[in-house]
Amino acid sequence: MSDRPAPPQHDRKMLEALVCPQTRTLLRYDAERQELISVAGRLAYPIRNGIPIMLVDEARVLD
């Protein structure tokens, strides 16, 4: 058993309210990869420990 607390659960409504900081378009939540996807910007923003990292420099570029 680990002494580390479980990662916090994020609020789906909060995730749905976020927009891409580069394009200002809505994001799609990818639960499997724990990312927020900007289709218009072709970027995937990571969610780490339940916290969306909304920095373009931290986003993964999509092919």
Side-chain angles (χ1 to χ4, degrees):
M1 184 168 175
S2 174
D3 290 332
R4 295 170 54 193
Q9 294 294 321
H10 43 270
D11 181 359
R12 191 173 192 96
K13 286 190 185 269
M14 184 267 309
L15 293 179
E16 291 171 356
L18 293 174
V19 296
C20 174
Q22 182 170 320
T23 64
R24 304 285 187 224
T25 57
L26 292 177
L27 300 167
R28 181 180 53 84
Y29 174 53
D30 183 340
E32 185 177 314
R33 295 190 82 159
Q34 287 298 291
E35 294 178 325
L36 294 170
I37 308 298
S38 171
V39 175
R42 302 186 55 79
L43 297 169
Y45 296 93
I47 299 173
R48 297 185 188 132
N49 297 321
I51 300 169
I53 310 300
M54 302 305 298
L55 301 170
V56 175
D57 291 344
E58 293 286 323
R60 179 174 63 86
V61 177
L62 301 174
D63 296 327

